[in-house]
Amino acid sequence: MSDDSRPSPVGDRTSARTAAVIPAAGRGVRLGPGAPKALRALGGTPMLIHAVRAMAASRSVSLVVVVAPPDGAPEVKSLLDAHALPERTDFLVVPGGDSRQESVKLGLDALPPDYDIVLVHDAARPLVPVDTVDAVIEAVREGAPAVVPALPLADTVKEVEPAGEAGEPEPVVATPERARLRAVQTPQGFDRATLIRAHETVTDDVTDDASMIEQLGLQVVVVPGHEEAFKVTRPLDLVLAEAVLARRRLNDGF
C-alpha cells in the first residue's frame, strides 16, 4: 500500500466501520494429524465457522476476512458458503502466507478502504462471547490504538532458564508478581492505520499483533476477557470446547 492510499488515523471513531481478520492458515500440529486446526469439527461444525460466527455476532462487525491456507482458499470459501452466516455481514476469503504475521498482513491488504477499526481473531478461539468482541471495539472507538482482552492468572508463574534439551530440569530465575500479569486472548482490536504501520515496520517474529504496536512505542490497553475465549490447541481443549458448546445449546439454544 502506498503512502498516498494509506488510511489516516481516525479522530472520531464513534461511527467507524469495523472489520475482522481471522488468520486460519495454520496446521495445528499439537492437535495431532488430520485437517488443519481451524477446520477441525466442534459440535459437528468446523471451528473456523464458530469463530466467524463469533465475530459476525457483533453488530459492529460488517466484514469478516478469513485468511486461508495458501492453497486452500477455494475449500474455505466453499466451507463458508455451506454454512448459515448472518446476512448483514460480508465475508471474504484470501490465501495466507507461511507465517501468522504474513497471513494477517495479507488479510489487512484485502480490506476495503472504508474500514478504520480492525479486529484480529484466532480461528482456534471459536467460543469467544459477543460481549467480549463488543468491549474490544468500544475501547478502540474511545481512542485506544490497540486493545486486547485478557484474564488474570490463576497460577503462579516462574521465569526459567530454558533447558538445553526437552525434559531436562530448568533453573528458576524469577517469580513475576502475579497481580501484574494477564493471559491475553483475542479478538485484539486496532486502529487500522496503526496496525498497517506496525506490519510495515516490525520485522521480528511476534506471537500477537499487540506486541507489534508495543514495539512502535504506543500504548496497548487491556479489557476484561472471558473464560470461554480459550484457545483450542490440544486434544483436552477440544473436549472442554465441546462441553461449553453443549452447555450453551442446552441453556441458550445456541
Side-chain angles (χ1 to χ4, degrees):
M1 179 176 292
S2 68
D3 291 341
D4 291 340
S5 62
R6 180 180 301 156
S8 300
V10 181
D12 180 7
R13 302 187 191 135
T14 54
S15 60
R17 299 186 76 192
T18 300
V21 174
I22 302 181
R27 296 297 306 179
V29 174
R30 281 175 289 183
L31 271 178
K37 178 164 54 177
L39 304 184
R40 300 293 179 94
L42 172 60
T45 301
M47 278 201 292
L48 175 60
I49 298 299
H50 288 287
V52 168
R53 287 173 174 167
M55 295 300 98
S58 171
R59 293 190 172 273
S60 297
V61 176
S62 52
L63 172 66
V64 177
V65 177
V66 178
V67 187
D71 58 351
E75 178 185 2
V76 171
K77 177 67 167 59
S78 296
L79 192 69
L80 294 184
D81 291 341
H83 289 81
L85 299 171
E87 292 184 0
R88 68 173 183 273
T89 308
D90 292 327
F91 301 93
L92 180 64
V93 178
V94 298
D98 294 331
S99 68
R100 182 187 185 278
Q101 193 166 332
E102 184 181 351
S103 292
V104 172
K105 177 64 165 56
L106 291 168
L108 282 173
D109 290 345
L111 291 179
D114 56 338
Y115 287 89
D116 296 309
I117 296 176
V118 180
L119 305 180
V120 180
H121 183 57
D122 294 332
R125 296 183 190 271
L127 300 177
V128 57
V130 67
D131 288 351
T132 302
V133 181
D134 288 339
V136 171
I137 295 170
E138 184 60 28
V140 180
R141 283 181 170 170
E142 290 177 354
V147 180
V148 298
L151 293 175
L153 297 183
D155 299 319
T156 297
V157 175
K158 301 290 185 183
E159 181 182 353
V160 302
E161 185 67 35
E165 295 184 12
E168 289 186 349
E170 298 176 320
V172 171
V173 297
T175 303
E177 184 182 348
R178 188 174 65 183
R180 297 175 61 88
L181 301 177
R182 298 291 183 270
V184 173
Q185 302 174 326
T186 69
Q188 299 184 355
F190 305 91
D191 165 58
R192 176 184 179 170
T194 302
L195 184 57
I196 287 175
R197 179 157 66 94
H199 275 271
E200 291 175 344
T201 305
V202 178
T203 58
D204 298 344
D205 187 24
V206 296
T207 56
D208 73 343
D209 294 87
S211 301
M212 303 173 74
I213 305 301
E214 293 173 49
Q215 291 192 41
L216 294 182
L218 300 176
Q219 185 176 59
V220 177
V221 301
V222 170
V223 297
H226 196 280
E227 62 183 4
E228 293 181 1
F230 61 90
K231 191 172 187 178
V232 178
T233 302
R234 298 174 176 85
L236 184 58
D237 301 326
L238 194 57
V239 173
L240 178 58
E242 292 279 5
V244 171
L245 187 60
R247 190 199 66 194
R248 286 186 182 183
R249 286 172 170 167
L250 179 64
N251 294 343
D252 308 323
F254 177 81

